[in-house]
Every structure is written in C-alpha cells, then in structure tokens.
C-alpha cells in the first residue's frame, strides 16, 4: 500500500514528464512571434516609399501591346463596311474588349497613385484631399501647387471651378501644413506625371472605342452618343457587363462625389454620371433632368442588351427608343389642361327612400300643416280676406271663416279683437280719420277741423292706461284684503 509520500513523489514525476511539451509550445509561440514580426516588417516596407512597388501597370507587356495597337488603329481608318465577319471573331472587336478591360485597370491604377500622392502631400496641405475628391483633379492641382505656400501666386483656372478655387485658396491661408522636403517633393511630382500619363492613355483608349462604337454598339450609340457609350462601356468593363448591370447603377457610372464646402446644393446634380453629357440631358429643363436621367439609364440598359446579343446591327431599336424618350420629355413639359366648368348633375326625379315606421309618422304629424293653416294660406279669387285688425291690417285669415270653406271659422275672440281695433281707430283717429306723417287731420262734429299729433295721443293714452291700471290694481288689493 502506497504511502502519502509515495503519491506526492508520483505527482512530481508526472509534472517533470510534462515539461518537454511545454518547451515545444514555447518554441511554437516564438515562431509565431517571429512570423508576426516578419509580416510587420513586410507591411512597413509597403508604406509607399517607392512608387514602382505599388504602380506596375505601365511596365507590363499587356499595357504596352494594347496601347501600341490602339495608336496604330487611330492613325489608320478602319473599314467598317465588312459586316460578314462574326462579331466575336472579329479581331478589332477583341481589341475593343481588351481596351475596355484596360480602361478599368487604368482607373484602378490612377486611384492607387492618387492614394500615394495624398499620403505624401498630407503634411503639406492636409485639407486638400477633403476639398477635391476626384483623383485626376487632385493630381493636377498638386502638381500645379507643388511646394508653394502662397496660393495667390498659383493659377488654378482651368483645373477647378471658380467656387472650388476660392475654397482652396481660403483653406490654404489657414492650413497647418509645412513644405515638403526635396526628396518627397520629387516623388510626389513623379507620381503626378505618371497619373496624368495614365489618364492620357485612358483618353486614347476611349477615343478608339468611341470611333468603333457605331459598329460595336449601334443602338446604345443612337441613344446616348458614341462618346458617352464608350465611357459607359469602359467604366462598366465591356458591353456584356454593361448589359448585365441594372439601370440604377448605369445612372451612377462616372459620377463624382462633390464637396460643396458650404455652398448651396440647389443647382448641384448628385447621382448623375456620364449620362449628364448626353444631348438629351442637356436639352432637358433643370427641373426635369433627374427624371430624364432615370429614363435614359433604363433605355440605355435595354439598348445595351440588344447590342450584346447582336439582334439589331442597324441600330433601328436605338433610334426608336430615342424617339420614345424625346416624346416623353416633351409630354412632361406640356402645361396641364385647363379646368372645364363642371355642369350640375341632373336632378333625380325618382322618390328617395325615406325612413318609415311609428317614429317617422309621429315626426311628420308633429310638423304637418293643419287644416286651419291650409285655409289661412289660401285666398279666394275676387273676395277680400279678413284680417286681425281689419282693412287689411294685421294677420290675414285667407279663406278661413268664409262661406263654403268648411266647418272651420274664425273664433269669437278674433271677432272681439277686430271690434276692439275698430273702436281704437274711431276713438283716436275719428270716423273718417286720415294720417300722414307726424300730424293727423281729423274731422269732428263738435270741433270741426283739428290738427293733432298722433305721438302725443299715444303718450297720453299710455299715461291714462297706466293710471287706470294702477288704480284698479289698488282697488283689487283693497277688496282682497277685506
């Protein structure tokens, strides 16, 4: 039976046996650290110290061969009348496809050189990269400025718009940059020359493709023109790639990211690329240009798909699409039709559905005309109607109370009221009284002709009535108390 000391010794032996693998792990960790250091060293070596290490396109055999063929083709006139050759087997078509691929590579190479120049020139003018976004414009401005600190001595007209020149000048006056050393300045200028040379080569490639676009893409050229069609194909990477691209992406091909630096965005055209160089876009009013650009992108995609399958080598489909675009834009510019006077609807003579039932009958009975009201609203021809005050004064009774009008007749109270009115007139205006204005002329048997004031009579009558009323009320109260 093993003792406690023997078990402790056995544990120590197991620990000693595991020391060798621990050494192997340490060796592995050390190797990983060495590999990481090597990677860091390689990364540090690629810090754009040498332009040739990052820009190698101009020295490749493919670039040199394609550019030589392009220059030879531009110098001689190609015969485009031979349409019997299959398009894919045509050597000139293969050259155009190679030119499209080369233009994409040139664009990528310019971006790499632009990053190299921006990193080296950052210590001189750090804000310039945020003001000028386009690589070629940035390269041209850097070459023009160089190591100059006072930008008032540098003429940037022709390289940038006037508003951007003003922003660059104001920013340069407050920048914190310092002049570059001679070595860095020389590297930057050489990089600028190389980028501008690549841009010139790209223009030659596009000119060659443009001269052959009537044969390669006749329908697309009929819509947007040969120059824009060549740029679209070169940026997309060929006719097949352009045909597979959606219309929303075709609209953005060649678009520049603009930095307005506080200026108004009302007149700036965002999300518009090469299509803004077309004749249709330029002839469209500014308010409709974005709609026209979307329409152009959609129809250009259709034309590119027709050209990619060679279904219409004459270009009839492209001309038909162009006419359709022009008609739509003209239709957008037409004024709206004038508003015509709307006639009243024909009255509906049919009886309308109304609510029936007990509640509806009770409502009708509540507001129905009574027989008395119907007779009062009628008049008999040739017979004068009676009135509440007589002689046509007061409320008229119509046929109410007349012979042959039925059982309804004027109540006794109404007759008494008419008698009271007659007495009132005889008392205050006389038997043959006539009134005119404020003065009344009355003939009486006792006094003869008398001029009287009706207002005074009314005031007298009111005072007498009040005295009689109050005297009667007092007498009534006395009688009641007794």
């Amino acid at each position: 039976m093993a003792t406690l000391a023997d078990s402790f010794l056995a544990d120590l032996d197991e620990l000693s046996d595991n020391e060798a693998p621990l050494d192997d792990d340490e060796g592995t960790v050390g190797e990983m650290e060495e590999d990481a250091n090597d990677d860091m060293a390689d990364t540090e070596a690629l810090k754009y110290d040498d332009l040739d290490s990052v820009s190698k396109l101009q020295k490749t055999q493919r670039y040199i061969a394609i550019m030589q063929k392009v220059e030879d083709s531009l110098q001689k006139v190609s015969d485009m009348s031979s349409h019997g050759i299959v398009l894919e087997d045509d050597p000139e078509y293969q050259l155009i496809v190679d030119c499209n691929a080369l233009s994409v590579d040139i664009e990528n190479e310019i971006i790499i050189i632009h990053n190299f120049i921006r990193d080296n020139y950052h210590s001189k003018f750090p804000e310039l990269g945020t003001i000028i976004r386009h690589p070629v414009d940035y390269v041209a401005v850097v070459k023009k400025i160089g190591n100059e600190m006072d930008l008032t001595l540098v003429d940037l007209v022709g390289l940038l718009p006037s508003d951007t020149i003003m922003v660059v000048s104001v920013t340069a006056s407050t920048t914190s940059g310092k002049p570059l050393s001679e070595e860095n300045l020389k590297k930057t200028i050489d990089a600028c020359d190389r980028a501008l040379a690549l841009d010139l080569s790209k223009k030659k490639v596009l000119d060659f493709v443009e001269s052959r676009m009537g044969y390669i893409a006749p329908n697309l050229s009929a819509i947007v023109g040969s120059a824009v069609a060549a740029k679209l194909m070169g940026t997309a990477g060929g006719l097949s790639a352009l045909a597979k691209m959606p219309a929303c992406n075709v609209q953005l091909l060649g678009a520049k990211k603009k930095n307005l630096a506080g200026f108004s965005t009302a007149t700036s055209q965002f999300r518009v690329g090469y299509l803004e160089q077309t004749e249709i876009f330029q002839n469209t009013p500014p308010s409709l240009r974005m709609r026209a650009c979307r329409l152009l992108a959609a129809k250009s995609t259709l034309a590119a798909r027709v050209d990619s399958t060679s279904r219409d080598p004459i270009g009839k489909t492209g001309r038909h699409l162009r006419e359709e675009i022009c008609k739509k834009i003209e239709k957008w510019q037409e004024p709206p039709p004038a508003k015509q006077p709307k006639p009243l609807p024909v009255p509906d003579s049919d009886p309308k559905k109304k609510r029936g039932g007990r509640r509806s009958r009770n409502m009708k009975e509540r507001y129905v005309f009574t027989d008395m009201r119907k007779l009062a609203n009628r008049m008999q021809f040739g017979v004068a109607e009676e009135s509440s005050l007589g002689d046509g004064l007061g409320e008229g009774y119509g046929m109410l109370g007349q012979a042959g009008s039925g059982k309804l007749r004027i109540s006794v109270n109404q007759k008494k009221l008419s008698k009271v009115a007659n007495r009132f007139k005889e008392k205050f205006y006389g038997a043959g009284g006539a009134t005119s204005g404020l003065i009344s002329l009355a003939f009486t048997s006792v006094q003869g002709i008398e001029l009287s004031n009706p207002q005074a009579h009314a005031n007298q009558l009111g005072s007498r009535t009040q005295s009689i009323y109050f005297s009667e009320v007092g007498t009534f109260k006395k009688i009641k108390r007794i």
Side-chain angles (χ1 to χ4, degrees):
M1 184 176 180
T3 60
L4 184 60
D6 294 336
S7 63
F8 283 153
L9 291 174
D11 294 337
L12 290 175
D13 292 337
E14 291 177 0
L15 289 175
S16 62
D17 293 338
N18 293 331
E19 286 180 359
L22 287 174
D23 294 339
D24 295 339
D25 293 340
E26 288 178 358
T28 305
V29 172
E31 292 176 359
M32 292 176 62
E33 291 178 354
E34 290 178 0
D35 295 338
N37 293 332
D38 293 339
D39 294 338
M40 291 296 293
D42 295 338
T43 305
E44 291 177 357
L46 294 175
K47 284 187 177 180
Y48 300 122
D49 292 335
D50 187 11
L51 182 60
D52 294 332
S53 61
V54 294
S55 176
K56 302 177 182 179
L57 180 64
Q58 287 177 305
K59 297 181 180 180
T60 59
Q61 189 65 29
R62 170 173 167 267
Y63 174 83
I64 297 172
I66 293 176
M67 291 306 301
Q68 185 64 35
K69 291 180 181 179
V70 167
E71 291 178 359
D72 295 341
S73 298
L74 288 176
Q75 290 176 0
K76 66 179 181 179
V77 180
S78 179
D79 186 13
M80 290 297 170
S81 60
S82 58
H83 290 289
I85 305 175
V86 181
L87 192 61
E88 286 78 6
D89 297 337
D90 192 352
E92 197 152 6
Y93 176 76
Q94 296 298 328
L95 180 58
I96 291 175
V97 173
D98 295 338
C99 288
N100 289 328
L102 182 62
S103 63
V104 177
D105 295 339
I106 291 175
E107 188 73 25
N108 297 332
E109 193 76 8
I110 291 175
I111 294 174
I112 293 174
I113 299 175
H114 167 255
N115 293 334
F116 174 83
I117 297 172
R118 188 178 58 186
D119 292 341
N120 286 344
Y121 206 70
H122 185 268
S123 58
K124 166 67 174 60
F125 199 166
E127 297 87 1
L128 186 62
T130 59
I131 298 174
I132 304 174
R133 297 284 187 177
H134 195 259
V136 178
D137 295 342
Y138 182 85
V139 169
V141 171
V142 168
K143 183 180 179 181
K144 191 74 175 179
I145 295 175
N147 227 2
E148 184 65 44
M149 297 300 295
D150 188 7
L151 291 191
T152 57
L153 305 176
V154 180
D155 186 15
L156 297 177
V157 178
L159 299 178
L160 296 173
S162 58
D163 53 351
T164 310
I165 293 175
M166 184 177 64
V167 173
V168 171
S169 302
V170 172
T171 309
S173 62
T174 58
T175 185
S176 59
K178 298 178 181 180
L180 297 176
S181 61
E182 293 295 333
E183 183 181 359
N184 286 338
L185 182 61
K186 185 178 182 302
K187 290 181 180 180
T188 304
I189 298 300
D190 292 341
C192 292
D193 294 337
R194 186 175 296 188
L196 293 176
L198 285 172
D199 185 62
L200 184 60
S201 300
K202 181 183 175 183
K203 289 180 180 178
K204 288 182 180 180
V205 169
L206 292 178
D207 291 339
F208 168 73
V209 176
E210 178 184 349
S211 64
R212 306 300 191 266
M213 284 307 296
Y215 173 57
I216 301 301
N219 297 283
L220 181 61
S221 301
I223 296 177
V224 298
S226 300
V228 178
K231 292 178 182 178
L232 290 175
M233 285 181 57
T235 307
L239 185 59
S240 300
L242 182 63
K244 296 176 183 178
M245 189 176 294
C248 58
N249 293 349
V250 173
Q251 180 181 344
L252 299 178
L253 291 178
K256 296 181 181 180
K257 187 175 182 181
K258 299 180 181 180
N259 187 4
L260 298 176
F263 289 93
S264 175
T265 60
T267 58
S268 63
Q269 290 287 346
F270 292 102
R271 297 185 177 275
V272 178
Y274 293 129
L275 293 179
E276 68 177 342
Q277 303 175 12
T278 59
E279 181 183 359
I280 296 176
F281 185 88
Q282 296 297 330
N283 295 335
T284 305
S287 59
L288 300 174
R289 283 184 176 177
M290 289 306 298
R291 294 179 63 185
C293 184
R294 288 192 290 267
L295 183 61
L296 271 172
K299 300 303 181 182
S300 299
T301 305
L302 295 178
R305 291 169 184 172
V306 173
D307 292 331
S308 63
T309 56
S310 303
R311 286 184 296 178
D312 188 8
I314 305 175
K316 183 179 179 181
T317 304
R319 290 189 293 271
H320 176 70
L321 292 175
R322 182 183 177 89
E323 292 177 0
E324 184 179 349
I325 293 171
C326 295
K327 287 182 180 178
K328 284 189 176 182
I329 295 177
E330 291 177 359
K331 186 69 176 179
W332 296 342
Q333 300 180 45
E334 291 180 0
K339 292 185 177 180
Q340 300 294 333
K342 188 177 181 181
L344 294 175
V346 179
D348 190 7
S349 58
D350 298 336
K352 297 182 180 180
K353 295 181 180 179
K354 296 182 180 179
R355 181 186 176 92
R358 180 175 53 83
R359 292 178 58 185
S360 178
R361 289 193 299 272
N362 292 340
M363 185 65 67
K364 291 179 180 179
E365 291 175 1
R366 188 179 305 172
Y367 296 102
V368 72
F369 269 20
T370 60
D371 295 338
M372 183 176 179
R373 177 63 66 184
K374 291 178 181 179
L375 290 175
N377 289 339
R378 296 175 184 172
M379 292 184 65
Q380 190 174 1
F381 183 77
V383 180
E385 66 173 354
E386 297 184 9
S387 58
S388 59
L389 297 178
D391 295 336
L393 301 177
E395 183 182 359
Y397 296 139
M399 294 182 63
L400 191 62
Q402 295 182 3
S405 61
K407 298 181 179 180
L408 296 177
R409 58 186 179 85
I410 302 175
S411 60
V412 181
N413 295 333
Q414 295 289 341
K415 290 183 177 181
K416 288 184 178 179
L417 184 60
S418 62
K419 291 180 181 179
V420 171
N422 293 333
R423 291 175 186 173
F424 177 78
K425 290 194 317 183
E426 291 176 359
K427 185 176 182 180
F428 291 103
Y429 300 107
T435 60
S436 175
L438 299 176
I439 300 175
S440 298
L441 181 63
F443 296 92
T444 59
S445 57
V446 179
Q447 298 177 352
I449 299 174
E450 178 187 3
L451 295 173
S452 62
N453 188 358
Q455 189 67 27
H457 283 290
N459 294 338
Q460 250 180 354
L461 177 61
S463 59
R464 288 177 184 175
T465 307
Q466 289 178 2
S467 61
I468 294 171
Y469 171 76
F470 286 113
S471 63
E472 291 179 355
V473 170
T475 307
F476 175 72
K477 288 182 178 180
K478 290 179 181 178
I479 296 171
K480 188 176 181 180
R481 288 176 183 174
I482 297 172

